[in-house]
Amino acid sequence: MKPSLRTRLEGLATRLVELDHLLAAPETAADMDRFRSYAREHSELTPVVERFLSWKGAEGDLATAEELAADPSMRAYAEDEKRAARERMEALEADLQAALLPRDANDTRNVFLEVRAGTGGDESALFAGDLIRMYTRYAERQGWKVEVVSSSPSDLGGYREIIVRIVGEGVYAKLKFESGGHRVQRVPETEAQGRIHTSACTIAVLAEADPVADIQINPADLRIDTVRASGAGGQHVNRTDSAVRITHLPTGLVVECQDDRSQHRNRASAMAVLASRLADKERAERHQKEAAERKSLIGSGDRSERIRTYNFPQGRVTDHRINLTLYRIDAIMDGDLDEIVAALAREFQAEQLAALAGEPL
């Protein structure tokens, strides 16, 4: 174990003992906010310190086995014990490094998932419809709830643009690497010659913003227009100006919501999307500064970047960031994304561990 890692873990063990005393102090019990803060820190540190104590125990076993190895009659037994102790130490050290990785505060949040048709005209819009169905089916498998916030259907099916809110446990943690350019290669239904066409869509996954803690929006920076909803909706659409368009003047961001008959609910949905886009913009700018010298394995976060190709004639899906190719496109398009999601998470964690090993703690 690196001395810097051991020093950090020794400090956490000392802090856990301090927290035991603080939680038992009468003055802490009289201040519930302080008590909850200490209790939360204690619960986070306990499993890490327990692993560290197990590692130190294995270290002691290794030292004992090395002493036994000096006795010729115990040498074979001692070698087995040394090997077992080293294996335990290696496994525990890997666990400890993973436990010390910085956590993404947004991992537990709901998301707004935006799909926009790109190059490819009608075929791109049809692919956008396929993608939103893929994510909806994946959400159903996870037990999440999907709500359509805004949609702009295309004439031949699919969507020019659609925004959905996905609500559930750990949504952002699993979907945060989906942002980027998604390319499809297939023969469109409208193609009489049977030629393969290539088209693309752009995905944006935004952690739902906390309107109080994450972003402050000055009402003076907004222009809010009520407009007549377009598309299907019967006579109601012709009678009511229920659609809401909000423009954030300093950034030029525009959000429009028309999927609900209530102007009030459309306005609330549009404001929620705007807050999440602004928060995402701030995070992207901050991360760009922090990672100026080291680009993430999972991608730069640039949503114009091509991250995945869906090739229907070959039945394959390829994620270009991690060179993962799977030959089961039908299952994936039906929402079976677990293997892709897990592979992306592993690569990201591996990169974090490499950074942790290469930087002073």
Side-chain angles (χ1 to χ4, degrees):
M1 180 181 289
K2 289 177 60 177
S4 55
L5 178 59
R6 182 166 189 153
T7 299
R8 182 172 178 179
L9 290 165
E10 294 281 8
L12 294 181
T14 301
R15 176 59 177 168
L16 189 63
V17 174
E18 292 175 356
L19 288 169
D20 286 332
H21 292 300
L22 289 169
L23 287 168
E27 58 268 26
T28 301
D31 186 340
M32 289 308 297
D33 287 340
R34 185 189 301 178
F35 181 85
R36 280 192 290 268
S37 176
Y38 288 155
R40 188 183 309 112
E41 186 180 358
H42 190 280
S43 66
E44 291 174 352
L45 289 184
T46 297
V48 178
V49 173
E50 286 177 348
R51 288 192 189 95
F52 180 50
L53 294 178
S54 296
W55 183 90
K56 291 178 73 174
E59 183 185 41
D61 293 342
L62 177 61
T64 300
E66 287 175 341
E67 291 177 4
L68 289 174
D71 183 347
S73 65
M74 300 292 292
R75 188 165 298 156
Y77 170 77
E79 289 300 323
D80 289 340
E81 289 296 297
K82 285 164 62 176
R83 183 167 53 254
R86 288 194 183 100
E87 289 175 356
R88 290 201 306 276
M89 291 173 68
E90 289 176 4
L92 286 165
E93 184 173 348
D95 286 344
L96 285 165
Q97 287 182 327
L100 291 177
L101 292 177
R103 297 180 181 178
D104 189 332
N106 292 320
D107 278 352
T108 59
R109 296 196 178 189
N110 304 323
V111 306
F112 288 105
L113 188 145
E114 306 180 356
V115 183
R116 291 183 178 82
T119 56
D122 291 330
E123 170 63 10
S124 177
L126 290 170
F127 181 49
D130 293 337
L131 286 175
I132 201 65
R133 179 183 180 276
M134 178 184 76
Y135 289 117
T136 299
R137 292 285 292 117
Y138 178 66
E140 291 171 355
R141 292 167 185 255
Q142 303 298 314
W144 300 336
K145 180 181 179 182
V146 179
E147 306 166 352
V148 176
V149 174
S150 178
S151 63
S152 176
S154 70
D155 295 335
L156 297 182
Y159 298 94
R160 289 186 291 271
E161 175 181 303
I162 181 168
I163 302 173
V164 298
R165 178 173 179 253
I166 305 179
V167 180
E169 182 66 31
V171 179
Y172 186 74
K174 292 190 174 182
L175 293 181
K176 62 184 176 182
F177 300 124
E178 293 300 299
S179 293
H182 293 240
R183 184 178 68 172
V184 64
Q185 295 172 324
R186 63 184 178 188
V187 179
E189 295 179 4
T190 56
E191 170 56 58
Q193 303 299 321
R195 293 173 297 185
I196 296 173
H197 286 226
T198 298
S199 56
C201 290
T202 301
I203 303 288
V205 178
L206 312 177
E208 185 175 31
D210 182 330
V212 175
D214 289 347
I215 197 78
Q216 298 294 323
I217 300 177
N218 185 348
D221 291 339
L222 302 178
R223 186 177 73 236
I224 302 176
D225 302 308
T226 56
V227 295
R228 183 153 298 178
S230 60
Q235 293 180 351
H236 170 82
V237 168
N238 298 323
R239 293 199 308 265
T240 309
D241 292 343
S242 60
V244 175
R245 182 186 298 120
I246 300 178
T247 304
H248 186 248
L249 300 174
T251 62
L253 287 174
V254 178
V255 178
E256 184 172 326
C257 187
Q258 65 175 34
D259 272 41
D260 198 288
R261 292 192 174 193
S262 165
Q263 184 183 116
H264 177 74
R265 285 192 291 270
N266 280 333
R267 175 169 174 162
S269 295
M271 282 296 294
V273 173
L274 176 62
S276 296
R277 286 186 184 174
L278 289 171
D280 183 69
K281 184 174 183 294
E282 287 188 1
R283 281 192 296 269
E285 291 172 352
R286 185 170 63 251
H287 292 168
Q288 187 175 10
K289 292 178 182 178
E290 292 172 354
E293 297 179 357
R294 182 171 59 87
K295 181 181 177 181
S296 169
L297 270 173
I298 304 303
S300 66
D302 181 357
R303 293 187 187 116
S304 65
E305 177 185 14
R306 186 191 71 188
I307 64 169
R308 194 175 298 152
T309 294
Y310 305 74
N311 187 302
F312 279 80
Q314 297 179 14
R316 67 171 171 85
V317 175
T318 298
D319 195 291
H320 305 288
R321 297 164 294 179
I322 56 176
N323 295 320
L324 173 69
T325 297
L326 301 173
Y327 287 91
R328 46 189 196 85
I329 194 168
D330 290 340
I332 290 169
M333 296 307 296
D334 194 44
D336 187 3
L337 296 175
D338 286 333
E339 190 171 354
I340 294 175
V341 168
L344 288 165
R346 284 195 301 270
E347 287 291 333
F348 183 63
Q349 186 180 76
E351 187 202 31
Q352 287 184 303
L353 287 170
L356 185 66
E359 297 174 1
L361 294 169

